[in-house]
Amino acid sequence: MDALDRLAEPGLDLLRRVDTLIAAGVPEGHRVWPLLRRMQVLPGDAVRSFLDLHPVPLASAGHAVRRLVRGYDDVSAALTDTVLWSGPAATAYGQQRAALLRHLDEGPDSLVGRLESTAGYADALADWVEGSRLALARTLADVLRSAEAVAVVAATATAASTRPGPIGPGVADAAEIAARVLAVLCVAYDGAETLLRQWAPSLAETAWRPPADGRPRYDQPTRVGW
């Protein structure tokens, strides 16, 4: 359990009240409007969804992907064993073997290269989730002890059965809290989009690169040492 988990219950209670107030209307020109248009969600729902994101599963996925590299290493080792035969088929086999070795483990475009990139992307996402959860927790801690929070709680407590008007008590305070929460979430999602752009080229499907002659030939083999 991290700081965000510990603040989830009081934070969601406050944001439920915030959502109730701003759903009736927000003062014209308030800075929360562009954030609401961009996120297309009220702050309470946005935070509730973000609570489901945890870094541990992503970090574990990165470790699991790296363990797969060992299997590719074993295959590559088998392909480097000396073959005691010669002739056109042996030459064709050598070409195919070299191409397969390149495809398995030669540079970032190989299968091993893609595995390492996938693991690196999972690690980067785990770091992003951890940092974003911490930033959101700090924001929630700040708004929970703010004067705006006191006003929101008072407004919703006295208007439990009355729909507040656009400029009713607590609405401006709720809009301010909503802006602070949505702003930190916008920064978080900007970070996620940046990560995807940065890693996308390294995560693309890798193509098979055939040897120069395009296909193996198996005519007239000569076997030696069998």
Side-chain angles (χ1 to χ4, degrees):
M1 177 177 287
D2 61 7
L4 185 58
D5 289 324
R6 290 190 290 272
L7 290 170
E9 184 176 352
L12 288 176
D13 178 70
L14 174 63
L15 293 177
R16 176 182 57 80
R17 298 169 185 270
V18 167
D19 290 353
T20 298
L21 288 170
I22 67 174
V26 175
E28 184 178 353
H30 195 281
R31 67 189 184 106
V32 76
W33 276 116
L35 296 168
L36 286 169
R37 293 189 187 100
R38 179 181 177 189
M39 297 294 288
Q40 295 290 302
V41 66
L42 293 172
D45 291 333
V47 170
R48 194 173 293 108
S49 298
F50 203 86
L51 285 169
D52 293 331
L53 292 176
H54 293 277
V56 173
L58 290 165
S60 298
H63 295 321
V65 169
R66 286 191 177 88
R67 286 196 293 270
L68 296 176
V69 174
R70 300 171 188 170
Y72 287 84
D73 289 341
D74 293 341
V75 173
S76 296
L79 288 171
T80 57
D81 290 343
T82 302
V83 178
L84 300 177
W85 52 306
S86 62
T91 300
Y93 172 77
Q95 293 170 342
Q96 290 291 324
R97 180 175 65 172
L100 183 55
L101 282 169
R102 288 195 302 270
H103 186 60
L104 287 173
D105 189 7
E106 186 178 291
D109 293 333
S110 67
L111 295 179
V112 169
R114 287 294 190 260
L115 284 175
E116 291 173 343
S117 294
T118 301
Y121 182 52
D123 291 343
L125 284 176
D127 291 341
W128 166 76
V129 171
E130 184 175 7
S132 298
R133 286 177 65 90
L134 179 59
L136 181 56
R138 287 171 174 165
T139 298
L140 284 180
D142 288 341
V143 299
L144 281 167
R145 57 174 177 257
S146 66
E148 289 85 0
V150 174
V152 165
V153 171
T156 52
T158 58
S161 60
T162 304
R163 180 182 176 86
I167 55 173
V171 172
D173 300 291
E176 183 60 27
I177 291 174
R180 294 173 67 178
V181 171
L182 291 178
V184 74
L185 287 173
C186 279
V187 171
Y189 286 116
D190 283 343
E193 291 175 358
T194 298
L195 282 178
L196 182 57
R197 287 194 301 270
Q198 290 175 342
W199 285 90
S202 301
L203 301 174
E205 182 178 357
T206 185
W208 165 253
R209 294 166 291 171
D213 64 353
R215 64 180 187 277
R217 293 163 46 209
Y218 297 104
D219 55 312
Q220 301 177 349
T222 303
R223 303 178 186 276
V224 179
W226 284 38

